[in-house]
Amino acid sequence: MAESDPEPVTFGAGHRLGAPETLGISTLDPGHRPPAMPPGRHVTIRVRMLDDSEELFDISQKASGKVLFDLVCSHMNLIEGDYFGLEFQNHQKMIVWLDHIKPIIKQLRRPKHTILRFAVKFFPPDHAQLLEELTRYLFALQIKQDLSSGSLTCNNSSAALMVSHIIQSEIGDFEESQCRSHLLNNNYIPDQMPLIDKIMECHSKNIGQTPAESDYQLLEVARRLEMYGIRLHPAKDREGTILSLAVAHTGVLVFQGHTKINAFNWSKVRKLSFKRKRFLIKLRPDLNSSYQDTLEFLMGSRDCCKVFWKICVEYHAFFRLFEEPKPKPKPVLFTRGSSFRFSGRTQKQVIDYVRETEFKKLPFDSRVQHDSRLSPLPSPCHHEVPTEVSYSRAAALLVLHTIPAQATDNYPFPVCLSVASNSPHLSASSGHSHGMVNGQKSLELCSHSPDGRQPSPLTSPLLNDACSVRTDDEDEVRRKRFPTDRAYFIAKELLTTERTYVKDLEVITSFQSAVGQDEATPDSLKSTLFSTFEPLHKFHTGFLREVEQRLALWEGRSNAHIKGDYQRIGDVMLKNLQGLKPLTANLHKQSEVLFELEKACRASRKLESLCRDFELQKVCYIPLTVFILRPLHRLIHYKQILERLCKHYLATHVDFRDCRAALADVSEVVDQLQRSLIKMENLQKLLELKKDLIGVDNLLVPGREFIRLGCLSKLSGKGLQQRMFFLFSDVILYTSRGMTATNQFKVHGQLPLHGMTIRESEDEWGVPHAFTLVGQQQSVVVAASSLTEMEKWVEDIKMAIEMAKTSNGPSSDLLTSNLTDSKCPEDSSAEAESEDDMAASQTSLERPAPHRGNTMVHVCWHRNTSVSMVDFSIAVENQLSGNLLRKFKNSNGWQKLWVVFTNFSLFFYKSHQDDYPLASLPLLGYSVTVPSESENIHKDYVFKLHFKSHIYYFRSESEYTFERWMEVIRSATIPSSRARAMNSKESHPH
């Protein structure tokens, strides 16, 4: 298959380790060998791999490009070969990809003297979509090459961090003299010398990280960079401005230098074409866009246009289509344009194949030492070589690049691949019902429903069976190797929730960076944000690293050679909580941050727009103001975790004393902040509600407290009309959901609490669960959805009336104008959507509405329920993160997801490294129970979520985690009345 020189360095991957011949399953159907070689004269093709080694392949000149590409992938036993290609310099001195369809003889003029380069062709947005470790390793080598060549530009911090992961993978754990010597002898980035100390500092933090983990972390940093996977194609606009064009999974990008100045998403592009030197992008009509219908760019030549056009066609097909496009029928007489088409599997087909095929390949083991050609210095001996036959990381390589050889100068784009429903379902029923599938998620849907209605605000996790990771009995065996002590799982909860907390701090620091660069932001606000969150983020990043290392030692899977009793966590918490104390000194002033931010936004429309746009980003999965209060809530979480540990341990346990001391420290801080926290949570909720309401003039006034919000039906001459009611300590507002793009609630009227009385009116009006609010100026008859809802409303309103009697509270004149029902016709507002109606609506994550439509107000509107301020307070104290297995709807398979519970919702991620959730499931209205015998769920630690006809099963890893998930979910699914909640809050088991 491949010619090899006498030197062992040119042997194939399998031959180097004595592995049996691979079966070549990379880009072929399961079980098939590479296609038979066509007859004709053979030629030797030289391919340079990503590790700069070269391999020789003997192939017929009449063979297609795909035959050669399959040989290369087969040689490496590479399953996910479709992300890669073979590139070479053609006779016009242009770098092009090898066409899979055309014969090699028509592409390579002098095959013996041409070197093809194996390289990454398609860069997915998330490396978690790469399912094989070998694939991630090859991607890491590509990043290493791009860094070295300077094509992957970044700041010094990112460069140092990436190089630290590269050398961790190559030479192992940090040892100062070895690391410095290695960096002096090897250049990974241009102008490396000034960064050596910073690289060494980063490398010292990677202790215990395996080569595979280092590859993963390298890709994690790289994928966030603006130039990740970007290959620039020089161009000019109509005015002659020098630009560059590039293509990515999202669409066509425009760069000026190394700065992205524009992007045209595939959903906005109707057709790509080229005429001579002109590259044309035809956009779909958009009334809100200032762009003209067709954009024109001038490139160096027609061939330059054609090369870029072809890679655009391939990128679109690979990431947006479900399957390889079918060839066009040949015309009888005349041909027009090019016959070029994408040839190969789409990303969805690759993912489905890797996950579903039972055809196995030889394992790729990253623990094997690196080949000397990959790493100038040998790996340390702490990476053990396994006894079984396995792939070495170095031995896994072979180089290929593909060039788009032909082009059709006219390439139309389908409007939308398919539509997925936006019901409260956690799973869509079939693969074809999902939107754009690009492996990472199946949530990219069309912007509007077929009837033109606005999308429902409830984001549902459309996580389908086809794009899922299945777990089997081997996973259970692996889990059972871990410690079973309850203290271990309590410590693991600390780890999982700390990961989420650090991610939340990253959101605030990125917001801080965004507003810090705007001249409209007051210096005092910049200073407050920076002095508060930057030190906290730095501290908790270090704390998280220590917890991860301790848990690794506790599990016995660390390769660290330190010995000792590490099955405890109290010492780590005590040390870090003492270090955290100085940083909590100013947390009681978080309300000043909220006030100052609100004041600055009122003073500057530009800053207000910046904050609104930031809050619409996917990373901002909960209201921005909630993120600002996260540090205070996290202290409560620490207290709860330590209380559980102290309750679990005997007084004689080695960890008990440290846990008790740490608990005393954190309790002291929490007690000092408790009064401030209640006020800040009230302020945060008022700020959040202000964004949800239209027609309110002065919601934020001293002394006003938020008590409850939710749905009630208001009785009028037109019958019962669904209204959203907001109960404050001095007034009740009733609103309806506006039929606007903002999804905000329009105020219809206000009912001052001073002098109000309340009476039950079910018999009077013949309406179930009805009661009358009798005010000094008007009376309103309302009905709750259930007896429980009515009792909660009546109890809270009576309590608020008593508060108003004894308080000289704020003025209740809230409205911008004297709004009454006569001025706001009852039927002019939104009609209530049932849960089933919402199944027909759709959402777009790429083009969010101008106002966030998935807040708790909107959830209450759709679920016809209510929540109180006490419910909100309990919810933020009952946050939880961790891995859960979710049962597929139509099979016995289970899907592993990273799940975060907060703000009455479950947020679903593929892994804890992800920056934003794939989907969310609001839990209001759901019940959580244990499956019955008749449901045939023969697994331990499974709980069931049920709402109307929607049922989901989730499985946790231990009895403790099962109890915790049940506990926190019940806090969201069973909102309590104010009195009961206050009592349970005081006696809440921690």
Side-chain angles (χ1 to χ4, degrees):
M1 180 169 65
E3 288 187 4
S4 53
D5 296 334
E7 296 297 325
V9 294
T10 57
F11 282 178
H15 296 124
R16 291 192 187 109
L17 293 176
E21 178 187 4
T22 88
L23 295 180
I25 59 175
S26 58
T27 55
L28 310 175
D29 293 331
H32 289 190
R33 292 177 177 270
M37 196 70 64
R41 190 166 64 90
H42 280 221
V43 64
T44 299
I45 304 291
R46 188 178 298 272
V47 177
R48 183 168 296 156
M49 313 311 283
L50 281 164
D51 65 342
D52 288 331
S53 64
E54 292 186 359
E55 300 287 346
L56 302 178
F57 293 88
D58 192 42
I59 192 168
S60 168
Q61 284 186 329
K62 295 182 180 180
S64 66
K66 180 170 169 48
V67 173
L68 175 60
F69 183 71
D70 286 342
L71 280 176
V72 175
C73 293
S74 174
H75 183 58
M76 288 188 290
N77 202 35
L78 176 61
I79 291 181
E80 296 173 297
D82 304 77
Y83 289 101
F84 303 86
L86 291 167
E87 67 178 0
F88 65 95
Q89 189 178 59
N90 66 9
H91 64 282
Q92 296 169 312
K93 306 298 182 184
M94 297 173 61
I95 301 298
V96 293
W97 294 101
L98 186 72
D99 192 308
H100 282 195
I101 298 176
K102 293 174 67 175
I104 289 176
I105 194 171
K106 291 187 177 181
Q107 302 185 62
L108 306 181
R109 283 195 171 183
R110 304 174 66 192
K112 290 184 178 179
H113 300 90
T114 301
I115 298 179
L116 289 88
R117 294 182 58 87
F118 181 80
V120 177
K121 185 176 185 180
F122 301 112
F123 288 81
D126 183 1
H127 55 283
Q129 297 171 0
L130 306 174
L131 305 181
E132 296 287 310
E133 185 182 329
L134 171 58
T135 313
R136 292 192 293 272
Y137 172 56
L138 295 173
F139 266 73
L141 289 178
Q142 182 69 65
I143 297 303
K144 179 180 171 184
Q145 279 192 7
D146 292 347
L147 270 177
S148 178
S149 67
S151 62
L152 181 57
T153 57
C154 59
N155 59 37
N156 288 344
S157 298
S158 296
L161 187 57
M162 287 191 285
V163 173
S164 76
H165 290 305
I166 293 172
I167 60 176
Q168 172 72 21
S169 176
E170 292 185 350
I171 68 174
D173 287 346
F174 176 76
E175 196 283 310
E176 184 172 0
S177 60
Q178 182 194 27
C179 179
R180 186 176 296 278
S181 172
H182 185 76
L183 289 170
L184 290 173
N185 292 320
N186 299 277
N187 279 328
Y188 294 96
I189 51 176
D191 198 20
Q192 180 174 286
M193 287 299 293
L195 290 181
I196 283 184
D197 290 338
K198 192 170 186 66
I199 295 171
M200 292 176 65
E201 179 187 351
C202 294
H203 185 201
S204 66
K205 299 174 183 177
N206 297 338
I207 291 178
Q209 198 169 275
T210 66
E213 291 168 342
S214 298
D215 291 345
Y216 194 93
Q217 294 302 324
L218 171 64
L219 296 176
E220 177 69 22
V221 178
R223 76 181 178 96
R224 302 168 189 267
L225 302 176
E226 191 162 74
M227 294 300 294
Y228 169 69
I230 297 299
R231 299 293 182 262
L232 298 176
H233 297 253
K236 294 180 181 178
D237 63 12
R238 284 181 173 175
E239 285 73 39
T241 306
I242 296 177
L243 304 169
S244 295
L245 299 180
V247 63
H249 71 283
T250 54
V252 181
L253 312 178
V254 183
F255 284 80
Q256 195 161 29
H258 287 91
T259 303
K260 184 171 68 175
I261 61 173
N262 216 334
F264 301 100
N265 196 284
W266 294 127
S267 61
K268 299 177 183 177
V269 176
R270 188 161 70 89
K271 185 169 69 176
L272 292 178
S273 61
F274 64 94
K275 292 181 180 179
R276 298 184 179 88
K277 294 183 179 182
R278 293 179 299 143
F279 184 80
L280 306 173
I281 303 175
K282 193 161 189 175
L283 302 177
R284 299 187 186 283
D286 186 353
L287 298 177
N288 299 319
S289 175
S290 60
Y291 295 117
Q292 51 202 350
D293 178 57
T294 302
L295 299 173
E296 183 178 305
F297 297 91
L298 191 67
M299 304 189 80
S301 65
R302 181 185 183 277
D303 289 327
C304 291
C305 280
K306 189 174 182 180
V307 166
F308 181 62
W309 176 84
K310 284 165 122 183
I311 190 62
C312 288
V313 170
E314 293 183 305
Y315 251 84
H316 176 268
F318 184 75
F319 286 109
R320 296 279 287 185
L321 301 186
F322 287 111
E323 58 186 21
E324 178 182 354
K326 300 295 187 291
K328 297 178 182 178
K330 292 185 178 180
V332 178
L333 295 176
F334 304 105
T335 61
R336 183 181 178 184
S338 171
S339 61
F340 176 79
R341 64 179 176 87
F342 171 72
S343 173
R345 295 184 298 190
T346 66
Q347 188 188 39
K348 182 187 184 304
Q349 289 176 310
V350 175
I351 291 173
D352 289 349
Y353 169 74
V354 175
R355 285 177 173 160
E356 295 177 6
T357 182
E358 297 178 359
F359 199 78
K360 302 297 183 182
K361 72 176 187 69
L362 291 172
F364 169 71
D365 197 322
S366 62
R367 294 174 296 171
V368 180
Q369 294 179 348
H370 290 192
D371 187 286
S372 59
R373 289 171 296 149
L374 284 172
S375 168
L377 294 180
S379 294
C381 59
H382 74 272
H383 299 305
E384 297 179 2
V385 179
T387 55
E388 70 272 13
V389 174
S390 62
Y391 255 54
S392 128
R393 295 167 61 81
L397 306 181
L398 261 172
V399 185
L400 218 97
H401 253 92
T402 53
I403 102 180
Q406 306 161 335
T408 111
D409 27 0
N410 229 350
Y411 188 68
F413 291 88
V415 175
C416 186
L417 293 175
S418 64
V419 174
S421 67
N422 186 13
S423 72
H425 288 59
L426 190 62
S427 169
S429 58
S430 63
H432 59 74
S433 67
H434 300 290
M436 181 198 81
V437 175
N438 64 2
Q440 176 196 6
K441 53 185 177 289
S442 56
L443 276 86
E444 302 287 357
L445 311 178
C446 294
S447 309
H448 300 281
S449 56
D451 58 4
R453 288 186 299 166
Q454 288 293 322
S456 164
L458 299 184
T459 312
S460 297
L462 305 174
L463 304 169
N464 61 343
D465 293 13
C467 296
S468 307
V469 177
R470 298 172 184 264
T471 63
D472 50 24
D473 292 338
E474 293 178 6
D475 296 314
E476 291 191 12
V477 172
R478 187 157 56 250
R479 282 199 302 273
K480 289 175 182 176
R481 293 175 188 163
F482 289 150
T484 56
D485 182 21
R486 188 179 182 86
Y488 163 76
F489 291 107
I490 298 174
K492 191 168 184 180
E493 180 183 336
L494 170 67
L495 169 64
T496 56
T497 53
E498 190 71 12
R499 282 173 172 165
T500 299
Y501 178 51
V502 170
K503 284 286 186 184
D504 288 348
L505 288 175
E506 287 175 5
V507 174
I508 292 296
T509 53
S510 61
F511 170 72
Q512 164 196 303
S513 300
V515 298
Q517 296 170 4
D518 195 288
E519 65 274 7
T521 308
D523 291 338
S524 57
L525 178 59
K526 294 179 184 178
S527 174
T528 305
L529 285 170
F530 186 84
S531 62
T532 301
F533 294 102
E534 200 68 37
L536 281 172
H537 178 251
K538 184 176 180 180
F539 175 86
H540 284 281
T541 301
F543 178 36
L544 173 60
R545 190 179 303 111
E546 287 189 43
V547 175
E548 287 176 331
Q549 290 172 349
R550 176 55 57 88
L551 264 292
L553 290 166
W554 199 329
E555 293 166 357
R557 58 183 172 85
S558 172
N559 60 3
H561 47 273
I562 308 170
K563 295 183 179 179
D565 179 14
Y566 289 107
Q567 295 190 347
R568 52 185 174 141
I569 198 66
D571 56 330
V572 176
M573 292 197 73
L574 178 60
K575 184 189 83 169
N576 282 279
L577 286 174
Q578 289 173 345
L580 180 62
K581 245 184 178 179
L583 300 180
T584 63
N586 294 323
L587 287 184
H588 66 281
K589 297 181 180 179
Q590 292 295 86
S591 57
E592 297 177 13
V593 178
L594 296 173
F595 265 126
E596 196 157 355
L597 182 59
E598 167 67 12
K599 180 181 176 182
C601 287
R602 283 203 311 267
S604 168
R605 184 170 294 180
K606 183 179 178 183
L607 181 61
E608 181 185 25
S609 176
L610 189 150
C611 293
R612 183 176 61 248
D613 290 345
F614 182 86
E615 198 163 15
L616 287 172
Q617 293 182 23
K618 296 178 185 178
V619 294
C620 203
Y621 63 100
I622 54 177
L624 179 62
T625 49
V626 176
F627 281 110
I628 292 176
L629 297 187
R630 275 291 196 248
L632 292 100
H633 297 145
R634 189 58 181 155
L635 293 171
I636 298 174
H637 303 157
Y638 291 147
K639 180 182 177 184
Q640 294 172 348
I641 287 170
L642 286 164
E643 285 173 340
R644 292 189 195 102
L645 284 168
C646 289
K647 184 178 179 180
H648 169 69
Y649 285 138
L650 297 174
T652 55
H653 193 281
V654 66
D655 204 23
F656 179 76
R657 180 177 295 181
D658 286 338
C659 286
R660 187 172 61 180
L663 176 59
D665 284 346
V666 75
S667 297
E668 179 186 354
V669 177
V670 169
D671 292 343
Q672 292 172 355
L673 293 171
Q674 190 64 44
R675 185 179 297 273
S676 300
L677 178 58
I678 294 172
K679 293 181 179 179
M680 282 186 270
E681 286 178 343
N682 181 69
L683 172 61
Q684 180 274 322
K685 190 51 61 180
L686 291 175
L687 288 168
E688 184 182 334
L689 293 178
K690 183 183 175 185
K691 299 176 183 178
D692 286 317
L693 296 173
I694 297 176
V696 174
D697 201 18
N698 54 343
L699 189 63
L700 294 172
V701 292
R704 176 169 290 137
E705 294 181 30
F706 163 70
I707 297 175
R708 179 174 290 276
L709 65 84
C711 268
L712 292 170
S713 295
K714 179 176 175 290
L715 186 62
S716 70
K718 299 176 182 178
L720 290 172
Q721 301 285 331
Q722 183 181 3
R723 292 286 175 262
M724 179 66 74
F725 279 70
F726 298 84
L727 172 62
F728 300 96
S729 57
D730 62 325
V731 68
I732 297 176
L733 297 180
Y734 55 96
T735 70
S736 65
R737 182 164 170 261
M739 290 296 286
T740 65
T742 62
N743 286 326
Q744 291 169 286
F745 287 83
K746 185 176 182 180
V747 176
H748 283 257
Q750 58 179 333
L751 302 170
L753 293 179
H754 188 70
M756 178 182 284
T757 59
I758 185 171
R759 70 170 185 264
E760 295 188 15
S761 309
E762 184 170 333
D763 296 335
E764 180 181 353
W765 296 99
V767 177
H769 320 309
F771 56 96
T772 303
L773 304 174
V774 184
Q776 291 183 334
Q777 296 180 346
Q778 72 175 120
S779 297
V780 174
V781 180
V782 295
S785 59
S786 66
L787 177 61
T788 303
E789 277 291 303
M790 184 187 78
E791 290 174 345
K792 288 188 289 187
W793 274 107
V794 170
E795 180 181 352
D796 282 352
I797 293 172
K798 285 181 177 179
M799 179 206 65
I801 291 172
E802 290 301 315
M803 290 171 61
K805 287 180 182 178
T806 59
S807 169
N808 297 321
S811 166
S812 58
D813 186 15
L814 283 169
L815 307 185
T816 54
S817 60
N818 186 24
L819 295 174
T820 63
D821 281 346
S822 61
K823 294 183 180 180
C824 300
E826 293 291 353
D827 57 352
S828 65
S829 303
E831 296 180 1
E833 285 185 83
S834 71
E835 203 70 19
D836 296 327
D837 290 336
M838 287 188 295
S841 57
Q842 301 138 25
T843 183
S844 170
L845 298 185
E846 293 183 347
R847 296 184 60 188
H851 178 78
R852 181 181 288 277
N854 60 353
T855 61
M856 198 47 54
V857 183
H858 293 83
V859 176
C860 287
W861 174 265
H862 286 285
R863 300 278 167 88
N864 198 17
T865 186
S866 69
V867 290
S868 70
M869 186 64 215
V870 176
D871 296 326
F872 280 107
S873 298
I874 292 177
V876 294
E877 294 181 17
N878 280 296
Q879 295 175 33
L880 193 60
S881 307
N883 286 313
L884 285 175
L885 301 177
R886 166 232 164 198
K887 186 181 182 300
F888 292 131
K889 190 173 183 180
N890 300 314
S891 73
N892 292 323
W894 294 79
Q895 175 189 24
K896 187 176 182 180
L897 296 168
W898 177 261
V899 184
V900 173
F901 170 80
T902 187
N903 221 40
F904 299 97
S905 299
L906 294 177
F907 295 90
F908 300 92
Y909 304 73
K910 292 187 72 175
S911 74
H912 68 83
Q913 289 100 341
D914 289 357
D915 292 328
Y916 54 84
L918 293 175
S920 63
L921 181 68
L923 293 176
L924 287 180
Y926 273 81
S927 63
V928 57
T929 57
V930 177
S932 63
E933 280 291 326
S934 62
E935 292 172 273
N936 294 320
I937 308 294
H938 304 298
K939 299 288 183 180
D940 295 331
Y941 315 130
V942 175
F943 60 88
K944 168 185 172 183
L945 287 175
H946 182 205
F947 175 74
K948 293 188 176 179
S949 61
H950 314 306
I951 298 175
Y952 312 116
Y953 300 98
F954 293 94
R955 181 171 144 213
S956 53
E957 65 177 344
S958 69
E959 183 180 4
Y960 171 79
T961 51
F962 168 78
E963 292 170 355
R964 287 290 294 132
W965 280 108
M966 291 284 284
E967 178 185 347
V968 299
I969 291 175
R970 277 178 177 151
S971 73
T973 57
I974 315 174
S976 304
S977 71
R978 188 177 184 88
R980 288 196 300 271
M982 292 298 287
N983 293 335
S984 67
K985 195 173 178 182
E986 293 171 5
S987 60
H988 193 63
H990 296 308

